């Protein structure tokens, strides 16, 4: 299973899950921007970096997802972090978080960097020790679905989908959570098509509901409106943009008036 891409998408689309995972309020995600960062002039790549978007005392979070044994993980991670700090000279302090599938994968030696662990500057999370999926918050339970074996994944996924659909006042975006669950299942069961998985878990019926379709349309409409300023900057006319994005000319004109400087 391509766990790196799964986690990247999960943290990119629903960053509040990460902050729940490390024990912070999910609302903390509102002041962070997530990305994968390549450290210049090296072969280093940090799996994920949460950068504060405001001038606050909140730290930068460097995230490493480790699902294979790696004896050099700690020396590599610390090297990546300090090279990043040297190159970018951020004003914020930092924290490191390593996410393991289970403790047996953690074979790295911390003798040369144990101070980072004793001070909790760097923390380790073992997904299989988070507890029973039914007792976990929906976001964290979605992460744990990644490590479920095939024998239990189907039952767990059904329960998780039901919880997501029935949740009242859910802080996380329901549509994105259901799509992430579906994506995780596609990776876990490569012998099945996405259509078969949707049918097995009732996701195809869900996608026909008015609420789901409205959520999709709302997301698509938002993406179209956000694209207008970029197309205006490229020199396209209001009429060309409206036709290309299937928008009303009046909608594009309104955005153009808000975006373009006054003569």
């Amino acid at each position: 299973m391509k766990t790196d891409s799964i986690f990247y998408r999960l943290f990119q689309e629903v960053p509040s899950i990460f902050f729940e995972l490390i024990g912070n309020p999910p609302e903390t995600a509102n002041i962070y921007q997530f990305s994968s960062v390549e450290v210049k002039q090296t072969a280093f790549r940090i799996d994920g970096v949460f950068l504060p978007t405001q001038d606050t005392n909140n730290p930068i979070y460097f995230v490493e997802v480790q699902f294979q044994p790696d004896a050099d993980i700690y020396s590599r991670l610390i090297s990546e972090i300090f090279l990043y700090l040297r190159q970018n000279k951020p004003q914020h302090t930092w924290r490191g978080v390593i996410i393991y599938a289970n403790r047996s994968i953690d074979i790295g030696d911390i003798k040369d960097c144990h101070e980072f662990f004793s001070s909790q500057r760097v923390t380790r999370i073992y997904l299989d020790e988070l507890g029973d999926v039914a007792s976990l918050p929906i976001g964290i339970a979605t992460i744990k679905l990644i490590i479920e074996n095939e024998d239990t994944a189907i039952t767990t996924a059904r329960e998780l989908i039901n919880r997501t659909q029935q949740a009242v006042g859910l802080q996380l975006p329901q549509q994105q959570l259901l799509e992430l669950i579906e994506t995780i299942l596609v990776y876990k069961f490569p012998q099945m098509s996405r259509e078969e998985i949707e049918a097995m878990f009732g996701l195809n019926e869900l996608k026909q509901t008015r609420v789901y379709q409205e959520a999709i349309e709302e997301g698509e409409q938002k993406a179209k409106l956000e694209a207008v300023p970029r197309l205006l900057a490229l020199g396209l006319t209001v009429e060309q943009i409206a036709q290309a994005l299937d928008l009303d000319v009046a909608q594009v004109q309104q955005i153009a008036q808000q975006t373009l400087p006054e003569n």
Side-chain angles (χ1 to χ4, degrees), residues 62-130:
F62 296 99
V63 187
E64 187 78 10
V65 177
Q66 196 63 32
F67 274 47
Q68 298 293 332
D70 182 357
D72 298 325
I73 181 172
Y74 298 122
S75 59
R76 175 172 56 80
L77 178 61
I78 298 300
S79 298
E80 291 170 350
I81 290 173
F82 274 87
L83 194 52
Y84 175 93
L85 296 175
R86 178 186 175 188
Q87 292 181 352
N88 294 275
K89 296 179 173 57
Q91 298 300 311
H92 298 268
T93 186
W94 64 274
R95 298 286 187 273
V97 179
I98 308 168
I99 301 173
Y100 286 100
N102 55 63
R103 194 177 292 268
S104 65
I105 296 172
D106 182 6
I107 63 171
D109 192 342
I110 68 170
K111 70 177 185 302
D112 293 326
C113 53
H114 65 89
E115 294 90 350
F116 294 115
F117 292 90
S118 59
S119 65
Q120 296 187 336
R121 175 65 69 91
V122 178
T123 58
R124 292 172 284 190
I125 295 174
Y126 305 104
L127 295 183
D128 67 331
E129 299 179 11
L130 291 176

Side-chain angles (χ1 to χ4, degrees), residues 6 15 17 21 38-39 44 59 71 78-79 83 96 99 114 142 151 153 164-165 170 183 214 223-224 244:
I6 285 286
I17 292 179
L21 189 63
E38 185 170 355
V39 183
F44 287 159
I78 298 300
S79 298
L83 194 52
I99 301 173
H114 65 89
T142 300
D151 294 335
T164 303
Q165 292 172 332
L170 185 65
T183 299
E214 287 178 352
K224 289 179 180 180

Side-chain angles (χ1 to χ4, degrees), residues 238-240 242-243 246-255:
V238 168
E239 291 74 16
Q240 287 173 326
Q243 183 177 3
D246 194 23
L247 293 171
D248 292 336
V249 172
Q251 289 177 292
V252 180
Q253 286 176 332
Q254 183 178 3
I255 297 174

